[in-house]
């Protein structure tokens, strides 16, 4: 292959060399920064991506030029330098240049054992990684003596059928080629692509003169950092090991000492106080000037410090926030930059208990992590069993083939939920997220036999009462208990979110159906409730009975009589909600699900219902059957129910308005679901306005309510221009809109979604990440047409996508007033909204 | 109310008077035409809509001016004149002006009995319609003598509390007011709106001097027409009654005679040959000049003809076509006009047996007429019973709660199908239309108890074996047998359709799944097959077993092995289809329905399947359950199946290509269903192309196939621009597209659709009439974007809307290549397409 332009083979790293992370990798760039700060970095050169590619292709064999910048007798190390630290790369190779002559010489200067150790290590690394010989033949001996060395050299010659190379150029050439090629291996490629690297991501290499770490005086190697990587709290930490190289000090069984003086034994601070002080000073300097918490790799050579490398300190989520906030509070970075440094998903992690990072996981099955957080408890198979466990004070995990409305009380009682079927927006997932309950769905490795009260999985059987742990973030289902980390918003997070609120310019509301969820929403500083699903209010045992009576009522009058009994309950629900939200807006969606969801599914429930209604079982059964539907998602639900059985919406409208009057100073928003035609809105509006007029006459109070539409069908989006004639707001229900735009049921998609995403049919599960091309276009069309016809129409989305940064970006760009998401995702959405506003300011500046 | 402009109160009808159907009504306009033809029409004046409105509002009471054009001693009639004849109107009132003085005078000129009869009749009409007195008090006496007359006048005075008015102006004023007001009555309004009249449709009135029809010489009244109103065959027909008025001759019990000489007794031709010849001549003249077959009302006064009125002859569907074709063949109207005169739906009626128009109907229930035609037979409740009945040579009607794929063989065997549930595009409806089988769905008045083998309806019970008749056009379900009219395309229809094919500029294809349907499509001159649903090929008993084995196969290899057995069957199907269609294009859709549709639904089928597969019932049951879906419409079907279980499409592609080679000279079109993303097309295309390459290698023959996409999801329509990169054609499946755009399952919509249409929520069932606003916009967007990205992409629709004239109009305007509909609707679609092309020529001329 002809090369397209002259390659600048090597760049000795100096303060002024032209060096970019995108050409030479992040490590090279970082080393240049350290050199600019006058840190004692040994001579280093960088090979750019092009050069390394040429080496991998076998088109660049002559390394003479690479050796020029170094002392004749220097040993060298080679380290990978990819564009992003977490894209990985081959391991470092140290002590290049060791050969019989250098061994003899070093035996004199640093001692024979040290010299032999260096040589043996290099032979091992070279044999395994460069010559690709059998690793078993090159173990490191207990006693690094002449016999061992001779053995290693002989083993090399046996296996490689040639003597161990003595020429540094040949050695370096081999090392560079092997590292360049390792970058192109399949597993390396998959690994970095999983971290978001592009297919053509390049590798740079850094060649550095070795600071030996072995020899006379205080010599050794260590790693130092200045905050705790779990909490982010300031604290000098790290390890140092005399007469060692690289990251040896971090090996669990090494005799390494701590750095700062404390009660745990000897420290570097005591052994070499000046070097320690210098290191702390350098750490502070790097924090100030690199604007980041670093972890620094250093060597002492006879007491002199050499800085070999520094990386951005790897840290847990909590520390990420603490560090960013501290950097901003110290004036090192701006608040905006602190906000930009935190992934919104990180906040969601902090809000939930997590399995301790290093805890062993006996994973028996993996599903879709549908509601983050972790919990453990005894397996139960029914809502009743979950409630019984709660009553006994036992933790439990509710395991079901799938969940339905009847399981809701059981979900309230359980500590986690697992379902065999369903996807990211299945019933279990949606309710789980609402409750902040860890939830794994679509765990198709499991066969849940609810009747037999057992789970079959990969040859083993789990029975009721067995303890399992559930990781709702990863989807892991684990046998037995595991240690957990507790959750909570600490001061740093609170501070960060305050800054986010200052920056963002779109409201974030929460989807909340119950007082509990409303309290949570308020706790997370949501700007109101964007979606209150009233149906969940009907699943409490007492109300369910009344609801069923209503469904079985034979006439509008009977129905109204039953609904009159539900009215005070609904009114009380809304009063509670309005009181909790303290005047913030609350958008209540009128009843949405098909009525059959409120009916029992099993024989026992059927018999109970028959006896409650004083009807023959046969009749109850046939009426339930008559209500059943082929495609309930596309059936008699939402406004279709509201128009066919208008008494239900009448009752709900009255409950909302009366509650608003009781609480006072509330402007409730009433939302009609599943609209597909303008006239539907007209008809409901007429009745709601009539109810409002009645309430006004009865109470003398005029409630300032607004009526709007949930846009869930493609047709509602397309016809929004005429729909807004009767609607003061449009709230896009992106779950259902996605289902209908794709012709894809969220409950059934689980079966093929993973195959689809794997094959790249969909770039991502569209229920997880808003499909900007299709659903997004409908969203934008709907918003444009709605606003054109009614400039003051309020626009929002209230689906599961509400917290997705891309969705927020799109909504903000389209001039939406707010997004609404589950309470636990509100903090992440507040942050994401701030980031989008900041980005926008940066690009339009 | 102030009148907005000077009302020209009356217009005496003369050849040159300014008279328009839109101002004075169709009757006034027609009378003017007769006058222009010099026909002997008595003096007539017309009152325009405005005047009649003013009369109804009580703002116009003085009728003096109306009387001016008439002789002092003329009796008058008043007839309604609405814009369209079939919008109805109040009945005519005759003999206005009769009073004691006129009675005495007429007694002298025409005889006392005749004069008394006229007076009595007028008193009766006036009392009932104008004075609104009790009709029972004004029966017509057997003996019209002085006693009876005195009694009638006394009865009037008793009831009205005033004497019978003697002043002609007072009489006329009352008649006009009562007729004007009757037009505004609720039932009159509903009746005409049902016929398509606008809410503000006006009524004109026609006042005419009476030609008495009683008196000396040959006097009487009659009605004459010149073709048979059932067949349209030329034949003078009608009735004449001496000494009568109006349409008395048509009363069943009158002594009226026939007009033309034949074997049925005396005729007008014999009694008054000159008058008869004149009438025939006038009939011919009116046909030539009014360019229509007319029915003429005439009076003989002492042998002289008076023409009172003429209307467009009311006629049956068959006669409509015959008359139009004959008019065009005689050069009276153009072919284009003949085409424009026939409603496309009329042709569909002619293709099916009909219940005789006047047969009594003992209707027990009414559903949705989902597949036109009528049939009767014994009630059966299962496919097996239907097949058994067929085997015995008995006609039967299959009655089911709903039908599924397992009923298809039963539907083939039955003479009609009734389902309790489902809508216009439910399974039963779609299959019924395909088979040309009369079908009524959504007959929710019935309760079908399949287990008990009986139907509960409105208090009565129908049992297996009872005979019922089904009218698939009206939705009537009738107890017992009824007389039927047989179906068939006669010469006139064939001629008309030949003309249509000359005019139209868009192809009409048929949806045909079987050889039988393909034969029918070819018989109806379809331009090819637009949709061959391959799944219907798998429901034959022998294949169903293999299909189920395939579904239960554990690996891709097992699946392939089973599919190898299905391959020759599928290939044979396609060979048959290709042979029948003789080189016309055939578009084959790859497998679409979810696999669970092929599995048994009942215990017995389950046990049979278990024993066929040699598996425990429990296991079969649990695997069937695992395949079940919440919303099958939105689940694992169509291309999702094709991608997840690719062996099925491989087999089908091979069967299509091998069949094309076997038949020769065939360019098959292969269509992928349920596409929602570009990559789906890419993946299937890759495999189909690979199969084609294999077939080419094996056979040495290169089949010229094309691959395209069925656009059924809103997303596919929105993203058609990228989808066409891999698709040579886009065929819009408007059934599913409608379902998804509305979020409305066609199977479940039946429950509320009628309420929705009644309340005007939807102007019409969108599965019946294409929704041009929502679904139509997606169609147009999809077509535009597809064509912009690939100018040669072939565009079509293949849903149930394919025969809907509005859909054809939209498709033609958007540059579509063809529409495809069920075979029986092809003739109507050919006609509709011609009409649209003609209209377009007229408007763009």
């Amino acid at each position: 292959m002809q090369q397209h332009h002259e390659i600048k083979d090597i760049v000795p790293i100096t303060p002024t060399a032209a060096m970019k992370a995108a050409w030479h990798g992040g490590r090279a760039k970082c080393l240049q920064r350290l050199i600019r700060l006058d840190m004692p970095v040994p001579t280093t050169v960088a090979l750019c991506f092009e050069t390394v590619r040429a080496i991998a292709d076998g088109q660049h064999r002559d390394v003479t030029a690479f050796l020029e910048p170094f002392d004749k007798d220097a040993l060298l190390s080679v380290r990978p330098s990819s564009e992003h630290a977490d894209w990985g790369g081959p391991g470092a190779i140290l002590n290049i240049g060791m050969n019989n002559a250098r061994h003899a010489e070093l035996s004199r200067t640093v001692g024979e054992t040290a010299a032999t150790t260096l040589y043996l290590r290099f032979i091992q690394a070279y044999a395994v990684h460069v010559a690709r010989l059998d690793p078993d033949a090159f173990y490191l001996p207990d006693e690094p003596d002449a016999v061992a060395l001779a053995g290693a050299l002989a083993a090399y010659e046996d296996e490689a059928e040639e003597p161990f190379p003595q020429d540094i150029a040949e050695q370096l050439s081999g090392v560079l080629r092997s590292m360049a090629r390792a970058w192109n291996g399949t597993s390396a490629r998959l690994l970095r692509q999983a971290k978001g690297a592009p297919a053509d991501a390049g590798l740079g290499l850094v060649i550095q003169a070795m600071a030996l770490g072995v020899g006379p005086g205080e010599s050794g190697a260590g790693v130092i950092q200045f905050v705790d990587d779990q909490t982010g709290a300031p604290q000098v930490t790290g390890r140092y090991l005399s007469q060692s190289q690289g990251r040896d000090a971090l090996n669990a069984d090494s005799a390494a000492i701590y750095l700062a003086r404390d009660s745990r034994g000897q420290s570097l601070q005591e052994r070499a106080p000046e070097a320690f002080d210098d290191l702390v000073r350098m750490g502070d300097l790097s924090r100030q000037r690199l604007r980041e918490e670093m972890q620094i790799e250093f060597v002492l050579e006879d007491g002199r410090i050499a800085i070999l490398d520094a990386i951005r300190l790897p840290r847990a989520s909590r520390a990420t926030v603490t560090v960013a906030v501290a950097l901003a509070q110290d004036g090192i970075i701006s608040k905006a930059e602190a906000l930009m440094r935190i992934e919104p998903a990180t906040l969601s992690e902090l809000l939930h208990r997590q399995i301790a990072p290093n805890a062993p996981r006996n994973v028996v099955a993996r599903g879709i992590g549908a509601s983050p957080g972790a919990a453990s408890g005894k397996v139960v198979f029914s809502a009743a069993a979950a409630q019984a466990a709660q009553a006994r004070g036992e933790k439990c995990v509710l395991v079901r083939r799938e969940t339905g409305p009847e399981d809701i009380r059981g979900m309230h009682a359980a500590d986690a939920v697992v379902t065999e079927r369903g996807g990211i927006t299945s019933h279990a997932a949606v309710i789980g997220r609402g409750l902040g309950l860890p939830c794994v769905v679509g765990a198709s490795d499991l066969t849940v036999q609810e009747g037999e009260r057992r789970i079959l999985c990969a040859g083993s059987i789990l029975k009721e009462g067995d303890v399992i742990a559930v990781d709702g973030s990863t989807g892991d289902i684990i046998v037995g208990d595991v240690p957990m980390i507790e959750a909570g918003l600490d001061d740093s997070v609170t501070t960060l979110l305050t800054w986010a609120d200052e920056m963002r310019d779109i409201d974030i509301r929460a989807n909340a159906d119950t007082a509990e969820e409303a309290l949570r929403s308020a706790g997370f500083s949501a700007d109101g409730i964007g979606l209150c699903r009233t149906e969940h209010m009907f699943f409490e045992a007492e109300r369910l009975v009344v609801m069923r009576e209503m469904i079985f009522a034979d006439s509008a009058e009977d129905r109204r009589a039953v609904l009159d009994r539900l009215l005070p309950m609904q009114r009380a629900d809304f009063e509670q909600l309005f009181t909790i939200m303290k005047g913030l807006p609350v958008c209540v969606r009128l009843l949405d699900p098909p009525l059959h969801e409120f009916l029992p599914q099993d024989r026992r429930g059927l018999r109970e219902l028959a006896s409650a209604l004083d009807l023959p079982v046969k009749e109850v059964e046939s009426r339930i059957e008559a209500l059943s539907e082929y495609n309930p998602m596309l059936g008699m639900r939402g406004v279709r129910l509201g128009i066919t059985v208008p008494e239900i919406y009448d009752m709900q409208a009255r409950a909302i308005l009366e509650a608003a009057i009781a609480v006072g100073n509330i402007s409730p928003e009433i939302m009609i679901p599943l609209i597909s035609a303008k006239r539907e809105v007209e008809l409901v509006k007429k009745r709601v306005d009539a109810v409002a007029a009645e309430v006004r006459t009865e109470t003398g109070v005029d409630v300032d309510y607004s009526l709007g539409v949930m846009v869930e069908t493609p047709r509602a989006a397309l016809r929004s221009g005429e729909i807004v004639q009767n609607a003061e707001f449009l709230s896009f229900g992106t779950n259902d809109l996605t289902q209908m735009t794709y012709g894809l049921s969220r409950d059934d998609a689980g079966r093929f979604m993973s195959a689809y995403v794997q094959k790249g049919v969909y770039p991502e599960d569209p229920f997880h990440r808003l499909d900007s091309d299709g659903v997004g276009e409908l969203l934008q069309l709907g918003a444009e047409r709605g606003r054109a016809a009614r400039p003051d129409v309020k626009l929002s989305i209230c689906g599961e996508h509400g917290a997705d940064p891309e969705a927020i970006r799109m909504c903000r760009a389209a001039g939406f007033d707010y997004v609404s998401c589950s309470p636990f995702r509100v903090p992440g959405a507040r942050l994401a909204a701030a980031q989008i506003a900041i980005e926008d300011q940066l690009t339009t500046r």
Side-chain angles (χ1 to χ4, degrees), chain A:
Chain A
M1 204 178 84
Q2 192 68 29
Q3 274 156 28
H4 294 294
H5 60 92
E6 188 88 6
I7 291 176
K8 180 84 177 160
D9 284 340
I10 57 158
V11 182
I13 303 184
T14 62
T16 56
M19 190 142 302
K20 283 191 179 179
W23 296 351
H24 302 90
R27 172 166 272 127
K29 184 67 201 162
C30 181
L31 281 165
Q32 187 184 38
R33 287 187 175 139
L34 297 177
I35 289 167
R36 282 185 184 152
L37 297 179
D38 273 337
M39 298 220 182
V41 178
T43 305
T44 309
V45 304
L47 307 192
C48 72
F49 298 170
E50 290 268 348
T51 305
V52 175
R53 246 176 234 127
I55 291 170
D57 294 346
Q59 295 183 6
H60 193 302
R61 296 168 195 278
D62 183 8
V63 301
T64 328
F66 299 171
L67 290 168
E68 262 168 27
F70 296 101
D71 287 349
K72 276 268 173 296
D73 58 353
L75 296 183
L76 304 178
S77 68
V78 181
R79 285 192 179 81
S81 178
S82 55
E83 192 173 340
H84 281 277
D86 54 2
W87 291 355
I93 292 187
L94 310 183
N95 302 313
I96 301 159
M98 274 305 285
N99 55 19
N100 298 344
R102 293 286 291 130
H103 176 253
E105 195 185 321
L106 281 172
S107 295
R108 286 191 302 275
T109 54
V110 304
E112 189 182 342
T113 305
T116 304
T117 303
L118 296 190
Y119 199 7
L120 278 171
R121 286 189 158 194
F122 179 54
I123 295 168
Q124 185 205 31
Y126 194 90
V128 173
H129 297 294
V130 180
R132 305 206 146 268
L133 306 181
D134 179 7
D136 290 347
F138 296 93
Y139 61 94
L140 282 182
D142 294 336
E143 201 61 52
D145 56 12
V147 177
L149 181 56
L153 287 167
Y156 187 93
E157 194 161 351
D158 273 2
E159 295 276 330
E161 298 180 348
E162 59 178 21
F164 186 77
Q166 297 293 310
D167 176 25
I168 187 166
E170 184 185 350
Q171 290 174 355
L172 181 61
S173 178
V175 166
L176 293 177
R177 195 175 55 246
S178 75
M179 289 176 78
R181 290 193 174 158
W183 182 249
N184 295 331
T186 309
S187 61
R189 194 192 307 267
L190 289 179
L191 214 67
R192 65 177 176 264
Q193 285 177 8
K195 302 254 181 180
D200 64 346
L203 177 72
L205 290 172
V206 164
I207 312 175
Q208 193 177 55
M210 291 287 295
L212 285 188
V214 294
E218 186 52 58
S219 292
V223 170
I224 186 170
Q225 65 192 49
F226 309 91
V227 297
D228 180 283
D229 55 11
Q230 291 298 315
T231 64
Q235 170 188 329
V236 174
T237 164
R239 296 285 191 286
Y240 169 79
L241 182 60
S242 271
Q243 303 296 330
S244 79
Q245 290 191 318
R247 298 172 82 89
D248 287 353
L250 297 184
N251 283 348
D253 56 354
S254 80
I257 59 172
Y258 289 87
L259 294 184
R261 185 199 316 267
D262 66 8
S263 57
R264 286 174 298 187
Q266 216 203 0
S267 69
L268 187 68
Q269 195 171 14
E270 289 151 292
R271 194 188 295 179
E274 275 174 39
F276 177 84
D277 289 348
D278 279 350
L279 283 170
V280 170
R281 200 179 33 76
M282 288 178 197
D284 195 50
L285 183 64
S286 71
R287 178 172 185 263
Q288 291 282 344
R289 301 290 290 278
L290 305 190
R291 306 164 65 250
E292 187 46 286
E293 277 301 339
M294 304 301 287
Q295 186 188 57
I296 296 174
E297 203 172 311
F298 65 94
V299 161
L300 295 188
E301 271 189 324
D302 199 9
R304 272 170 296 111
I305 297 174
I307 301 293
L308 307 188
D309 193 22
I311 59 172
R312 181 182 171 280
L313 174 70
R315 64 199 76 169
S317 301
R318 187 165 302 282
T320 308
V321 179
T322 315
V323 165
V325 169
L327 285 169
Q329 285 172 328
D330 292 347
I332 296 169
I333 62 176
S334 67
K335 288 177 184 178
E337 188 163 356
L339 287 164
M340 295 305 289
R341 287 190 180 188
I342 314 297
E343 278 284 321
T346 304
L347 294 193
S348 150
E349 264 177 53
L350 295 182
L351 299 177
H352 298 96
R353 290 169 92 220
Q354 300 291 320
I355 293 179
N358 301 318
R361 294 179 170 220
N362 181 7
V363 175
V364 287
R366 190 159 288 160
I368 301 168
S371 173
S376 59
K378 291 183 176 176
V379 171
V380 296
F381 291 98
S382 69
Q387 291 177 268
Q390 188 190 35
R392 288 193 302 272
E394 286 176 7
K395 294 200 297 174
C396 69
V397 177
L398 178 60
V399 180
R400 302 279 289 163
R401 172 115 16 106
E402 64 235 355
T403 65
E406 294 199 314
D407 293 311
I408 287 187
R409 291 186 68 77
M411 294 179 72
H412 272 280
D415 295 273
V417 175
V418 171
T419 66
E420 182 186 330
R421 298 175 56 175
I424 192 81
T425 51
S426 63
H427 180 267
V430 171
I431 303 299
R433 280 193 292 277
L435 298 174
L437 192 67
C439 177
V440 172
V441 299
S444 50
D445 305 343
L446 303 180
T447 305
V448 177
Q449 300 184 320
E450 291 165 355
E452 286 85 353
R453 299 194 184 179
R454 62 182 188 184
I455 310 168
L456 308 185
C457 49
S460 68
I461 293 180
L462 288 168
K463 290 196 291 293
E464 191 162 55
D466 289 351
V467 170
I468 62 173
V470 171
D471 186 333
S473 306
T474 63
D476 286 355
I477 298 160
I478 296 162
V479 170
D481 210 344
V482 281
M484 305 268 177
I485 301 176
E486 288 306 321
L489 286 182
D490 61 16
D491 287 352
S492 300
V493 177
T494 307
T495 304
L496 188 82
L497 286 174
T498 313
W499 297 347
D501 291 347
E502 289 164 11
M503 302 279 186
R504 70 184 160 92
D505 48 14
I506 184 169
D507 278 0
I508 311 290
R509 294 198 196 175
N511 301 343
D513 307 340
T514 60
E516 191 185 340
E517 287 173 2
L519 281 168
R520 197 171 291 136
S521 310
F524 290 145
S525 304
D527 298 314
I529 292 178
L531 174 62
C532 168
R533 287 167 287 233
T534 49
E535 53 270 22
H536 293 160
M537 298 173 171
F538 294 116
F539 286 116
E540 278 188 27
E542 182 195 1
R543 299 167 180 206
L544 195 54
V545 172
V546 187
M547 192 69 185
R548 288 171 176 172
E549 264 185 72
M550 195 278 294
I551 295 170
F552 276 79
D554 283 316
S555 67
E557 290 74 52
D558 289 359
R559 231 176 348 253
R560 227 181 320 257
V562 183
L563 285 165
D564 280 348
R565 288 158 52 206
L566 283 173
L567 174 64
M569 307 183 199
Q570 278 259 290
R571 188 173 47 219
D573 292 330
F574 295 133
E575 283 182 23
Q576 232 185 341
L577 239 52
F578 294 155
T579 307
I580 292 168
M581 296 311 290
K582 296 196 178 107
L584 287 173
V586 175
C587 181
V588 180
R589 180 177 74 182
L590 299 174
L591 195 71
D592 183 48
L595 292 182
H596 50 76
E597 282 203 5
F598 296 96
L599 297 176
Q601 306 299 324
D602 56 354
R603 294 297 303 175
R604 195 177 137 199
L606 203 85
R607 276 196 302 273
E608 282 174 10
L609 179 56
S611 104
L613 294 172
D614 199 18
L615 283 173
V617 172
K618 196 101 183 163
E619 170 154 0
V620 172
E621 198 174 6
S622 83
R623 287 177 68 167
I624 290 181
E625 210 185 301
L627 281 174
S628 78
E629 295 183 300
Y630 294 103
N631 296 289
M633 180 59 51
L634 309 177
M636 174 83 153
R637 48 172 282 241
V639 70
R640 294 163 194 165
L641 207 59
I643 285 178
T644 322
V645 193
E647 300 81 18
I648 303 177
Y649 282 8
D650 287 354
M651 181 277 283
Q652 292 197 296
R654 177 174 281 272
I656 294 166
L657 296 170
E658 290 182 352
I661 292 172
V663 175
N665 197 24
I666 295 285
S667 305
E669 298 166 352
I670 302 176
M671 180 155 73
I672 319 169
L674 205 67
I675 291 297
S676 66
K678 165 194 166 189
R679 176 103 175 113
E680 290 171 325
V681 194
E682 225 170 86
L683 289 173
V684 174
K685 181 175 166 56
K686 204 178 282 177
R687 289 192 77 116
V688 170
D689 287 347
V691 169
E694 276 172 34
V695 171
R696 185 164 45 237
T697 308
E698 290 159 18
T699 62
V701 184
D702 203 353
V703 181
D704 174 33
Y705 64 97
S706 62
L707 190 83
V709 158
M710 186 145 171
V711 178
E712 296 158 282
T713 67
R715 196 172 191 282
L718 292 169
R719 306 304 296 169
S720 65
E722 49 181 38
I723 283 171
V724 290
Q725 289 170 14
N726 295 295
E728 287 157 84
F729 59 88
L730 298 177
S731 190
F732 291 82
T734 52
N735 293 354
D736 278 13
L737 193 58
T738 300
Q739 298 197 75
M740 290 166 195
T741 305
Y742 275 88
L744 184 61
S745 152
R746 60 186 189 186
D747 293 314
D748 300 310
R751 273 243 205 81
F752 55 89
M753 188 54 79
S754 64
Y756 250 52
V757 173
Q758 255 168 31
K759 294 187 186 181
V761 182
Y762 299 155
E764 203 165 335
D765 180 346
F767 294 117
H768 196 207
R769 168 75 45 101
L770 187 70
D771 158 47
S772 57
D773 291 342
V775 181
E777 184 180 5
L778 284 176
L779 217 73
Q780 279 169 341
L781 271 180
E784 273 166 28
R785 294 177 180 183
R787 187 145 276 172
R790 182 172 191 152
D792 68 340
V793 70
K794 200 187 277 184
L795 299 172
S796 62
I797 65 171
C798 64
E800 287 294 319
H801 299 101
D804 172 8
E806 280 317 303
I808 298 176
R809 185 187 313 278
M810 184 187 299
C811 290
R812 181 178 171 275
F816 279 42
D817 298 276
Y818 67 88
V819 302
S820 188
C821 55
S822 33
F824 280 104
R825 301 182 72 185
V826 165
R830 286 161 67 198
L831 174 57
Q835 292 180 341
I836 292 159
I838 292 167
E839 271 172 30
D840 199 27
Q841 282 168 18
L842 290 176
T843 53
T844 58
R845 194 175 277 168

